[in-house]
Structure formats: C-alpha cells, structure tokens
Amino acid sequence: MTQFHVLAEAFTPHDDLAAILLPHAFAADDGSHDAAHLMRVWKNATRIQAEEGGDTRQLAAAVLLHDCVSVEKNSPLRAGASRLAAEKAWQVLDALGWRTLEISAVAHAILTHSFSANIEPETLEAKILQDADRLDAIGMVGAARCFYIAGRMGSGLYDPLDPLAEARPLDDKAFAIDHFETKLFRLADGFQTAAGRRLALERQARLRNVLAMFLDEI
C-alpha cells in the first residue's frame, strides 16, 4: 500500500478518488499547503456539508486539487494561483473521464476559493470549499501557518519598536503578526455558509487570544 493510499483513507467515502488525485494534489515542500492541510480542509468541508448539503464527490475533488499548483505567497503570480490550479484540475479530471459538467463545477470551486483571486463562488460546493479553506487560515492552525509562512518568506515575528503598528503602516511582508490585522481577522466577515460563519467566529476568537497572549509575552 502506497503513502497516498494511506492518506486517502482520511477522505472516506471518497478514498478511492483521493488515492488517484493525491499524487497531483500538493507541493511536497510547503508545510502550509501539504497533505495535512488537505485533510483539515476536507474535515472542515464535511462538517459544513453535513449541515448545508452539496455533492460530496465534487467537493472531495475540489478539496484535493484546490492547491494543485504551488505559487509562493510573495510571487507576482499569486493572484492567479487558483486559476492555474483550476486549469490543472480540469486536465486531471478530464483524463479520468469525468463529465464536462462535473469538471466545470469542480474547476469553478477551485477558481473561486482563493482570497487573492477575489471571485465570488456561485455554487454550494464552491461556497463550502471557500469556507473550509479559510477556516484553516484562522484559529490555532491559522496562527501556526502564519508564523510558518513568515519563516519561509524571511519575515520577522514583529517590529520590536512598534509591534502594534501604532506609528507605522502595517507590513505583513516584514512582520508576521501584522498579517493578523491585514488579512486573518478580515476573513471571518466573508464566510459564505451559515455553518461556516459559526465555525469562523469560534476560530477567530481563538486567533485573537493567540495574538493577545503573544503580545503579553513580548
């Protein structure tokens, strides 16, 4: 049994599909968009789907392939990452014999999931994917990913002279905790489903506690 077949079990009842798609699904060197991220997003998506409904096969494919093209956060191509992923997903699913209508639905969900793309999701599956992915960017995991990505980008943790940016512009490329205000705290306002919004408020409260404890210690 391969590593992908073992990981695929986390995507039950679509584990057979996951075993096929996982080799196409993520960049091995990015710990913020790895197999663990896909597993968390699937867990979030199934929690939301249980309340909101939606096609779980399309949703599984969209979750598995939403980050199938890796573009670094500081790349000028970042805003187009979801479009590139949607195009690759179309090719992968077409080769597997999926119907055009289903492929189009999955590609739309992938295209619209990204905060950077700023495209509104139109289908329930697309709304669930966007919510499920954004849940992973807030809460305790969101804080951990923020600091991890800051390390990848060579950013500092905070400005030692003005950590709260009271007398300077926020700069999340230079300081990790600036990203809480520039993006992470804004995410909870844009959730698409009622279930997603409820979970987002819980996680945002945790994220604010993380920042408060961090500031207390520095």
Side-chain angles (χ1 to χ4, degrees):
M1 183 176 291
T2 68
Q3 175 193 14
F4 292 126
H5 281 87
V6 174
L7 293 172
E9 293 177 3
F11 296 87
T12 300
H14 300 291
D15 44 316
D16 289 342
L17 176 63
I20 296 170
L21 296 184
L22 278 167
H24 305 281
F26 57 90
D29 64 342
D30 183 355
S32 63
H33 296 93
D34 56 2
H37 168 66
L38 297 180
M39 292 164 70
R40 292 191 303 269
V41 174
W42 175 242
K43 182 178 179 180
N44 295 338
T46 55
R47 289 183 69 182
I48 297 170
Q49 189 277 336
E51 296 185 34
E52 305 285 345
D55 187 303
T56 60
R57 183 169 177 260
Q58 291 179 15
L59 191 56
V63 168
L64 285 157
L65 296 175
H66 79 279
D67 285 331
C68 65
V69 174
S70 178
V71 181
E72 288 284 12
K73 291 286 189 182
N74 59 354
S75 169
L77 300 176
R78 181 64 189 175
S82 65
R83 176 182 57 79
L84 296 172
E87 291 172 356
K88 180 179 173 181
W90 190 291
Q91 295 171 358
V92 170
L93 296 176
D94 184 55
L96 293 174
W98 279 47
R99 294 184 300 117
T100 299
L101 192 63
E102 288 185 302
I103 299 174
S104 180
V106 172
H108 172 72
I110 293 171
L111 175 66
T112 59
H113 89 274
S114 170
F115 183 86
S116 302
N118 194 29
I119 303 172
E120 282 295 314
E122 297 177 359
T123 66
L124 178 56
E125 292 77 19
K127 292 176 181 180
I128 292 173
L129 176 62
Q130 187 181 102
D131 282 3
D133 187 56
R134 292 187 182 185
L135 281 173
D136 204 51
I138 54 179
M140 297 299 294
V141 171
R145 291 179 66 199
C146 176
F147 291 120
Y148 169 84
I149 293 168
R152 281 178 64 91
M153 300 296 101
S155 304
L157 293 178
Y158 61 97
D159 181 346
L161 300 179
D162 188 3
L164 288 176
E166 294 174 325
R168 63 172 177 84
L170 288 163
D171 183 0
D172 61 354
K173 290 182 173 60
F175 308 113
I177 68 168
D178 284 23
H179 195 60
F180 285 59
E181 291 292 346
T182 59
K183 180 179 178 181
L184 301 187
F185 288 149
R186 295 167 52 196
L187 291 177
D189 294 332
F191 275 69
Q192 301 287 332
T193 66
R197 285 191 292 274
R198 187 186 71 251
L199 294 169
L201 290 174
E202 294 172 2
R203 295 200 184 188
Q204 187 181 52
R206 297 176 191 171
L207 190 63
R208 290 194 179 278
N209 285 337
V210 170
L211 182 59
M213 290 186 290
F214 184 92
L215 292 170
D216 179 68
E217 291 189 11
I218 65 172

